Amino acid sequence: MLSFLLLLFLLPSSSNALDFCVGELTLPETPAGYPCKPPAKLTVDDFIFTGFEKAGNTSNIISAAVSPAFTAQFPGVNGLGISAARLDLAPNGVIPLHTHPAASELLVVTQGAILAGFISSANDVYYKTLKKGDLMVFPQGLLHFQINARGINSVAIVSFSSPSPGLQITTLALFAGSLPSPIIEKVTFLDDAQVKKLKAVLGGTG
Amino acid sequence: MLSFLLLLFLLPSSSNALDFCVGELTLPETPAGYPCKPPAKLTVDDFIFTGFEKAGNTSNIISAAVSPAFTAQFPGVNGLGISAARLDLAPNGVIPLHTHPAASELLVVTQGAILAGFISSANDVYYKTLKKGDLMVFPQGLLHFQINARGINSVAIVSFSSPSPGLQITTLALFAGSLPSPIIEKVTFLDDAQVKKLKAVLGGTG
Amino acid sequence: MLSFLLLLFLLPSSSNALDFCVGELTLPETPAGYPCKPPAKLTVDDFIFTGFEKAGNTSNIISAAVSPAFTAQFPGVNGLGISAARLDLAPNGVIPLHTHPAASELLVVTQGAILAGFISSANDVYYKTLKKGDLMVFPQGLLHFQINARGINSVAIVSFSSPSPGLQITTLALFAGSLPSPIIEKVTFLDDAQVKKLKAVLGGTG
Amino acid sequence: MLSFLLLLFLLPSSSNALDFCVGELTLPETPAGYPCKPPAKLTVDDFIFTGFEKAGNTSNIISAAVSPAFTAQFPGVNGLGISAARLDLAPNGVIPLHTHPAASELLVVTQGAILAGFISSANDVYYKTLKKGDLMVFPQGLLHFQINARGINSVAIVSFSSPSPGLQITTLALFAGSLPSPIIEKVTFLDDAQVKKLKAVLGGTG
Amino acid sequence: MLSFLLLLFLLPSSSNALDFCVGELTLPETPAGYPCKPPAKLTVDDFIFTGFEKAGNTSNIISAAVSPAFTAQFPGVNGLGISAARLDLAPNGVIPLHTHPAASELLVVTQGAILAGFISSANDVYYKTLKKGDLMVFPQGLLHFQINARGINSVAIVSFSSPSPGLQITTLALFAGSLPSPIIEKVTFLDDAQVKKLKAVLGGTG
Amino acid sequence: MLSFLLLLFLLPSSSNALDFCVGELTLPETPAGYPCKPPAKLTVDDFIFTGFEKAGNTSNIISAAVSPAFTAQFPGVNGLGISAARLDLAPNGVIPLHTHPAASELLVVTQGAILAGFISSANDVYYKTLKKGDLMVFPQGLLHFQINARGINSVAIVSFSSPSPGLQITTLALFAGSLPSPIIEKVTFLDDAQVKKLKAVLGGTG
């Protein structure tokens, strides 16, 4: 009875608070994220993501894998200003030069060693070999990269200041799409032969 | 005719501006609030809330009442970064220890006297008896409380820096829900007898 | 001893958290507000403002008074996204047409009755007589006003979604400053005689 | 094949990133803007607006025109924090006193000369004649105006810090709507004759 | 020479961009964080934190340790919207019930198993045992906890959506500070004996 | 006298409002921008920038020039969420591939014709030849470029959703700085000869 009165007068409606907004991915996204799933339908599993339990498949050209837990994979982070990914770098592995248009990144090495760096707007380069337990922050929107530094399998947990940080890999942006080669050459100063070679490898057209 | 031309050339579409966004509560909420009701359907009453005209019912265990005008009760504040509530504290009344996860709070005593306080992350306590006309600000997310200070009916108007500030009452969070008693004891250091006593009173399970 | 260990390992530095940022008004302001006073120097009185205890002086041309508790008067709200003011409207009192460039406003009538309204970008007008206990929200940046509605002393508590909401009174902006009359007439379509009459009353030049 | 592997492991889902959110204007707006059109349906034309290619029609009472490229006309800016408009000022042209409730404005004169100014909350006036190539910034929510300064057709490109800046023209807000004349006179100190004269010209009622 | 011209015309000043703002902790903090160290004085080590390389000391009453990399310890995250901490939970270890007033939290278990949970404003409880590789998100400002779940040393990397998330441990807030016992009892419904027992253990006064 | 009373009671302090915050560039920047110059020292010229009156010098390797009006050149935009630049593209001119880490960009062609485009995170390319009067929006943080399209001098006014948008030119980031060639090759897949050729031209080291 006490609890009844307390709830009646102190919490007239449980919808007072937008504590969280688990994304309903089937509805159209908005600039602030996806509409919320009804709170009544949520369980603890909406707030849990189990994709980091094993290594990503690094049997590819970069000997590396990125396993994201962004809104698209983990709707529980929708609207909460944070997300994460697991990075796997086999020996010789590399996460190619890229940016996250919408987030800063914080990397923690959990296994092995990683050479990581970023480049500022002033073209200054900040890079260093990180060992297990080291953190490095990559400011929003700046070019950065990670390379296996010791020839052993290396792993990092990275987190982002947005549930949808975006990921633009410079080499794929240039050579895996349909931007005509003359334009690429004009805006990058790269040689025609170089552009065509990488387009052939990466499937680019135009 | 003049007005026609003015409107034609200066205001090609009245939908240029998102002056306000009265919440359409029947549509799914987003991280930024509810979708907007069509402006053409709005009247002045969409911007007015009349729930503060009389005292809340304080015939309950806390001898107090909170009457919120959050988005759920007052859709006119949707998207506008502000909301309010009326607090009623009968003699011996108390608004138990609580936080607003999404807003800072500003309290104005309009009748009687209230002992109010908050606790910082450094465990420092700031509390004082406020009399009619006094304001106190409670920073976002910090534990705070209000207690009737003079044995007479006391009233406060509180406003929040969010249309959906949230309200988490510590004692209800612990003892009115289903968190198992051993977990509660583990994470609070409270005694088993204390936990079970309050669960019995407040309707908690587990 | 226990507490010592707890504090040592769980709270390595009390400066971890920016719970609040009471404004140090003697230092230069930034776009996000004033720099913070050192937490060690704060007392509960930094979070309390006592200026609403009595009526503002309404012995003036508008028979009204605004008593603000913005950052400048109440540095405790600095950085917290909220502030407040007390409005006093004697019989015939009026808060002239104005905007708050940086905040939405939420008004609560605590005594008497007030005719309040605002005008949207589409030139739609929303106004109504509010009685004691009624709330009205005025969306950010829109023209609005308050008028004593019953011929008795009326009071309202207003809160804002910013610690520095700003206040631009249209008539003072036009006629109490130094904008030359021909420019005023050009940009408002007001008659020269009207402009000069109000400049004379309100002390404007140019 | 390489590219296949790269895409498979580095970009598990193209929906990871909310690079942009072209507005779907047929869906209800939210406080953060319109829901997004599906990325698969977008073409380059969704990011292009062609409305600034010719002068607006200045054959009207103000000898001026505003051609907006806000979200309503240019859905590509939805959610991106920016928009623009073209201003045309024929000889004697004027953009009357107005505010943008939701944005700061940056003006660039591209032809002719423009006398532009704004008024601060302290009733200080900042105005000057701008010639071709000059920029002026008008802080959010403050009253400002633009007047043809040289008697030749003048043009400016203005940009805004919001995709939906809003536009409230003071004279239209007062005299083109339905706010009763006695209220207008009370809140502005304008004479009854002046109010009724402008209401007659601008089509106001009440 | 080419580069000279490029830099001269494309980058007239390296101070155009605020790529990052490494905190100068000796200057007064602002609501948006600390003032920036001069870019010319920065090295890669300003963006690296090495505090997670070894386990925190869990020889304490909670058999647990939190090693933060917030702005106070890692000035490189100042202004970047992200920070992190390492959690160590020895057998029987617990991170007591707490909130982060200014951030959502994302936890990744990197060793062992952890029982983690949070409580919503509606007093709903979401908890589960997380094993190595599992993630859980804790929405901003809500009460949550972590407990060693398997009796073996367990470790988690947690990240936050703010460089200064704050940390308010409910039990310390109540019993390690100076809030008088009668007030604590009034606002929590706890028994006097319970309050005094925990104050004695945790060093509280009042 | 009237005005005196009005000012006394309605505007107790002109420092109530933070209408604007003209940057004091000699003080340390903060994450929200520079501290403000004292309002009393401001004149209209603090809000005006005259740098766009003539063409930038395009006698350089890219036959192009960017003339920014960011906070560093135009302190009046500090804190106001907007800035601008003038682009000059001589025949064969090109603004090389670049990003703005902190802002979306809106381009208006004011003379000539410009081939402009951007690349999304999904490696989709959006480009088109813009003629005089056309606008194009480039979403925050994405790679984009502008090329003279007609062989005649072309000009654009671009605006940004931040007073400090940043500017990272991909080719300069890679080849004008000190990132060692082996790392560049590893993270971009470019050939060693290509990297060394461009470093020689652009002055890069390492």
Side-chain angles (χ1 to χ4, degrees):
Chain A
M1 188 188 68
L2 166 58
S3 129
F4 172 77
L5 287 170
L6 269 175
L7 292 171
L8 187 63
F9 294 105
L10 280 172
L11 291 172
S13 165
S14 68
S15 61
N16 279 343
L18 180 61
D19 287 338
F20 36 70
C21 178
V22 176
E24 178 50 84
L25 303 193
T26 62
L27 293 177
E29 201 168 3
T30 76
Y34 286 92
C36 317
K37 292 179 73 169
K41 292 193 175 175
L42 300 176
T43 71
V44 66
D45 290 325
D46 284 292
F47 301 99
I48 293 174
F49 179 79
T50 56
F52 287 9
E53 71 271 27
K54 58 178 181 177
N57 186 338
T58 58
S59 299
N60 54 50
I61 190 68
I62 57 170
S63 297
V66 178
S67 305
F70 300 167
T71 300
Q73 296 83 27
F74 182 15
V77 295
N78 185 55
L80 294 184
I82 198 156
S83 63
R86 172 185 169 135
L87 305 188
D88 284 282
L89 291 159
N92 285 317
V94 59
I95 307 293
L97 196 72
H98 64 284
T99 62
H100 303 289
S104 291
E105 172 181 339
L106 191 50
L107 176 147
V108 186
V109 179
T110 57
Q111 184 183 309
I114 294 175
L115 171 63
F118 72 89
I119 309 173
S120 77
S121 287
N123 302 323
D124 290 323
V125 184
Y126 301 88
Y127 67 99
K128 195 168 187 176
T129 295
L130 308 173
K131 58 187 189 311
K132 187 178 172 184
D134 287 350
L135 277 76
M136 185 168 181
V137 66
F138 306 95
Q140 181 169 343
L142 296 182
L143 287 164
H144 61 287
F145 60 85
Q146 290 97 11
I147 303 174
N148 188 307
R150 290 272 165 77
I152 57 168
N153 285 332
S154 297
V155 181
I157 301 296
V158 293
S159 50
F160 300 93
S161 63
S162 164
S164 292
L167 171 57
Q168 181 163 53
I169 300 171
T170 309
T171 295
L172 292 183
L174 283 171
F175 307 117
S178 63
L179 191 61
S181 297
I183 295 181
I184 296 176
E185 294 156 25
K186 182 82 175 177
V187 302
T188 61
F189 304 169
L190 292 172
D191 294 336
D192 179 63
Q194 176 73 86
V195 170
K196 287 181 173 154
K197 177 180 172 185
L198 283 170
K199 276 203 170 181
V201 174
L202 294 164
T205 60
Chain B
M1 188 188 69
L2 166 59
S3 129
F4 172 77
L5 287 169
L6 269 176
L7 292 172
L8 188 62
F9 295 105
L10 280 174
L11 292 173
S13 165
S14 69
S15 59
N16 280 344
L18 180 61
D19 286 339
F20 36 70
C21 177
V22 176
E24 177 51 83
L25 302 192
T26 62
L27 292 177
E29 201 167 4
T30 75
Y34 286 92
C36 318
K37 292 179 73 168
K41 293 193 175 174
L42 299 176
T43 71
V44 66
D45 290 325
D46 284 293
F47 301 98
I48 292 174
F49 180 78
T50 56
F52 287 9
E53 72 272 27
K54 58 177 181 176
N57 186 337
T58 57
S59 299
N60 54 49
I61 190 68
I62 57 169
S63 298
V66 178
S67 305
F70 301 168
T71 299
Q73 296 83 26
F74 183 16
V77 295
N78 186 55
L80 294 184
I82 198 155
S83 63
R86 173 185 169 135
L87 304 188
D88 284 281
L89 291 158
N92 285 316
V94 59
I95 308 294
L97 196 72
H98 64 284
T99 63
H100 303 289
S104 291
E105 173 180 340
L106 191 50
L107 176 147
V108 185
V109 179
T110 56
Q111 184 183 309
I114 294 175
L115 171 63
F118 71 89
I119 309 172
S120 77
S121 287
N123 302 324
D124 290 323
V125 183
Y126 300 88
Y127 67 99
K128 194 169 188 176
T129 295
L130 309 172
K131 58 185 188 311
K132 187 177 172 185
D134 288 349
L135 277 76
M136 185 168 182
V137 66
F138 307 94
Q140 180 169 343
L142 295 182
L143 287 165
H144 61 287
F145 60 86
Q146 290 97 12
I147 303 173
N148 188 309
R150 291 270 165 78
I152 57 169
N153 285 331
S154 297
V155 181
I157 301 295
V158 293
S159 51
F160 300 94
S161 62
S162 163
S164 292
L167 171 58
Q168 180 163 54
I169 301 170
T170 310
T171 296
L172 292 183
L174 284 172
F175 307 117
S178 62
L179 191 61
S181 298
I183 295 181
I184 297 176
E185 293 157 25
K186 182 84 176 176
V187 301
T188 62
F189 304 168
L190 292 171
D191 293 336
D192 181 63
Q194 176 72 86
V195 170
K196 287 182 174 154
K197 177 180 173 186
L198 282 169
K199 276 202 170 182
V201 174
L202 293 164
T205 59
Chain C
M1 185 188 72
L2 167 58
S3 131
F4 172 77
L5 287 169
L6 269 174
L7 292 171
L8 187 62
F9 295 105
L10 279 173
L11 292 172
S13 165
S14 69
S15 60
N16 280 343
L18 180 61
D19 287 338
F20 36 72
C21 177
V22 175
E24 177 50 81
L25 302 192
T26 62
L27 292 177
E29 201 168 2
T30 75
Y34 286 92
C36 317
K37 292 178 74 168
K41 292 193 176 175
L42 300 176
T43 72
V44 65
D45 290 325
D46 285 292
F47 301 98
I48 293 174
F49 180 79
T50 56
F52 287 10
E53 71 272 26
K54 57 178 181 175
N57 186 339
T58 59
S59 299
N60 53 49
I61 191 69
I62 56 170
S63 298
V66 178
S67 305
F70 301 168
T71 298
Q73 296 83 27
F74 183 16
V77 296
N78 184 56
L80 294 183
I82 199 155
S83 62
R86 172 184 169 135
L87 304 188
D88 284 280
L89 291 158
N92 285 316
V94 59
I95 308 293
L97 195 71
H98 64 285
T99 62
H100 303 289
S104 291
E105 173 181 339
L106 191 50
L107 176 147
V108 185
V109 179
T110 57
Q111 183 182 310
I114 295 174
L115 171 63
F118 71 89
I119 309 172
S120 76
S121 287
N123 302 324
D124 290 323
V125 183
Y126 300 88
Y127 67 99
K128 195 168 188 175
T129 295
L130 308 173
K131 57 185 188 314
K132 187 179 172 185
D134 288 350
L135 276 76
M136 185 167 184
V137 66
F138 307 95
Q140 181 168 344
L142 296 181
L143 286 165
H144 61 287
F145 59 86
Q146 289 97 12
I147 303 173
N148 188 310
R150 290 271 164 77
I152 56 169
N153 285 331
S154 297
V155 181
I157 300 296
V158 293
S159 51
F160 300 94
S161 62
S162 163
S164 292
L167 170 59
Q168 182 165 53
I169 300 170
T170 310
T171 295
L172 291 183
L174 284 171
F175 306 118
S178 62
L179 192 61
S181 298
I183 295 181
I184 296 176
E185 293 156 26
K186 182 83 175 177
V187 301
T188 62
F189 304 169
L190 292 172
D191 292 337
D192 180 63
Q194 176 73 86
V195 169
K196 287 181 175 155
K197 176 181 173 186
L198 283 169
K199 276 203 171 182
V201 174
L202 294 164
T205 59
Chain D
M1 187 188 69
L2 167 58
S3 130
F4 172 77
L5 288 170
L6 269 175
L7 292 171
L8 187 62
F9 294 104
L10 280 173
L11 292 171
S13 165
S14 69
S15 61
N16 279 343
L18 181 60
D19 286 339
F20 37 70
C21 177
V22 176
E24 177 51 83
L25 302 193
T26 62
L27 292 177
E29 201 167 3
T30 75
Y34 286 93
C36 317
K37 293 179 73 169
K41 292 192 176 175
L42 299 176
T43 71
V44 64
D45 290 325
D46 284 293
F47 301 99
I48 293 174
F49 180 78
T50 57
F52 287 9
E53 71 272 27
K54 58 177 181 177
N57 186 339
T58 57
S59 299
N60 54 49
I61 190 69
I62 57 169
S63 298
V66 177
S67 305
F70 300 168
T71 299
Q73 296 83 26
F74 183 15
V77 295
N78 185 57
L80 294 184
I82 198 156
S83 63
R86 172 184 169 135
L87 304 188
D88 284 281
L89 291 159
N92 285 317
V94 59
I95 308 293
L97 197 71
H98 64 285
T99 61
H100 304 287
S104 292
E105 173 181 340
L106 191 50
L107 177 147
V108 186
V109 178
T110 57
Q111 185 183 308
I114 294 174
L115 171 62
F118 72 89
I119 309 172
S120 76
S121 287
N123 302 325
D124 290 323
V125 184
Y126 301 88
Y127 67 99
K128 195 170 188 176
T129 296
L130 308 172
K131 57 186 188 312
K132 186 177 173 184
D134 287 351
L135 278 75
M136 185 167 181
V137 67
F138 306 96
Q140 182 169 345
L142 295 182
L143 286 165
H144 61 287
F145 60 84
Q146 290 98 11
I147 302 174
N148 189 307
R150 290 271 165 78
I152 56 169
N153 286 331
S154 297
V155 181
I157 301 296
V158 292
S159 51
F160 299 94
S161 63
S162 163
S164 292
L167 171 58
Q168 180 163 54
I169 300 170
T170 311
T171 296
L172 292 183
L174 283 171
F175 307 117
S178 62
L179 191 61
S181 298
I183 295 181
I184 296 176
E185 294 156 25
K186 181 82 175 177
V187 301
T188 62
F189 303 169
L190 292 171
D191 292 336
D192 181 61
Q194 176 72 85
V195 170
K196 287 182 173 154
K197 177 181 173 185
L198 283 170
K199 277 203 171 182
V201 174
L202 294 164
T205 59
Chain E
M1 187 189 70
L2 166 58
S3 130
F4 172 76
L5 287 170
L6 269 174
L7 292 171
L8 187 61
F9 293 104
L10 280 172
L11 291 173
S13 165
S14 69
S15 61
N16 279 343
L18 181 60
D19 288 337
F20 37 71
C21 178
V22 176
E24 178 50 83
L25 303 193
T26 61
L27 292 177
E29 201 167 3
T30 75
Y34 285 93
C36 317
K37 291 178 74 168
K41 292 192 177 175
L42 300 176
T43 71
V44 65
D45 290 325
D46 285 292
F47 302 99
I48 292 175
F49 180 79
T50 56
F52 287 10
E53 71 273 25
K54 57 178 183 175
N57 186 338
T58 58
S59 299
N60 54 48
I61 190 71
I62 57 170
S63 297
V66 177
S67 305
F70 300 168
T71 299
Q73 298 82 26
F74 183 15
V77 296
N78 185 56
L80 294 183
I82 198 156
S83 63
R86 172 185 170 136
L87 303 188
D88 284 280
L89 291 159
N92 285 318
V94 58
I95 309 293
L97 196 71
H98 64 285
T99 62
H100 304 289
S104 292
E105 173 181 339
L106 190 51
L107 176 147
V108 184
V109 179
T110 56
Q111 185 183 308
I114 295 174
L115 171 63
F118 72 88
I119 309 172
S120 77
S121 287
N123 302 325
D124 290 323
V125 183
Y126 300 88
Y127 67 99
K128 195 169 187 175
T129 296
L130 308 173
K131 58 186 188 311
K132 188 179 172 185
D134 288 350
L135 277 75
M136 185 167 183
V137 67
F138 306 94
Q140 181 168 346
L142 296 181
L143 287 164
H144 60 288
F145 59 85
Q146 290 98 11
I147 303 174
N148 189 309
R150 289 272 164 77
I152 56 168
N153 285 332
S154 297
V155 181
I157 301 296
V158 293
S159 51
F160 300 93
S161 63
S162 163
S164 292
L167 170 58
Q168 182 164 52
I169 301 170
T170 310
T171 295
L172 292 183
L174 284 170
F175 307 117
S178 62
L179 192 61
S181 297
I183 295 181
I184 296 176
E185 293 155 27
K186 182 82 176 176
V187 300
T188 62
F189 303 168
L190 292 171
D191 293 337
D192 180 64
Q194 176 74 85
V195 169
K196 287 182 174 154
K197 177 181 173 186
L198 283 170
K199 277 203 170 182
V201 174
L202 294 164
T205 59
Chain F
M1 188 188 71
L2 166 58
S3 128
F4 172 78
L5 287 170
L6 268 174
L7 292 171
L8 187 62
F9 294 105
L10 280 172
L11 292 171
S13 165
S14 69
S15 60
N16 280 343
L18 181 61
D19 286 339
F20 35 71
C21 178
V22 176
E24 178 50 82
L25 303 193
T26 62
L27 292 177
E29 201 168 3
T30 75
Y34 285 93
C36 316
K37 291 179 74 169
K41 292 193 176 174
L42 300 176
T43 72
V44 65
D45 291 324
D46 284 293
F47 301 99
I48 292 176
F49 180 79
T50 56
F52 288 10
E53 72 272 27
K54 57 177 182 174
N57 186 338
T58 59
S59 298
N60 55 48
I61 190 72
I62 57 170
S63 297
V66 177
S67 305
F70 300 167
T71 299
Q73 297 82 28
F74 183 15
V77 296
N78 185 55
L80 294 183
I82 198 156
S83 63
R86 172 186 169 134
L87 304 188
D88 284 281
L89 292 159
N92 284 317
V94 58
I95 308 293
L97 196 72
H98 65 285
T99 62
H100 303 289
S104 292
E105 173 181 340
L106 190 51
L107 177 147
V108 185
V109 179
T110 57
Q111 184 183 309
I114 294 174
L115 172 63
F118 72 87
I119 309 172
S120 76
S121 287
N123 302 324
D124 291 323
V125 183
Y126 300 89
Y127 68 99
K128 195 169 187 175
T129 296
L130 308 172
K131 60 186 185 314
K132 188 179 171 184
D134 288 350
L135 276 75
M136 185 166 183
V137 68
F138 306 95
Q140 181 169 344
L142 296 182
L143 287 164
H144 61 287
F145 59 86
Q146 290 99 10
I147 303 174
N148 188 308
R150 290 270 164 78
I152 56 169
N153 285 331
S154 296
V155 181
I157 301 296
V158 293
S159 51
F160 300 93
S161 62
S162 164
S164 291
L167 170 59
Q168 182 165 53
I169 300 170
T170 310
T171 296
L172 292 184
L174 284 171
F175 307 117
S178 62
L179 191 60
S181 298
I183 294 181
I184 297 176
E185 294 156 27
K186 181 84 176 177
V187 301
T188 62
F189 303 170
L190 292 172
D191 293 337
D192 180 63
Q194 177 73 88
V195 170
K196 287 180 174 155
K197 177 181 172 186
L198 283 170
K199 276 202 170 181
V201 173
L202 294 164
T205 59

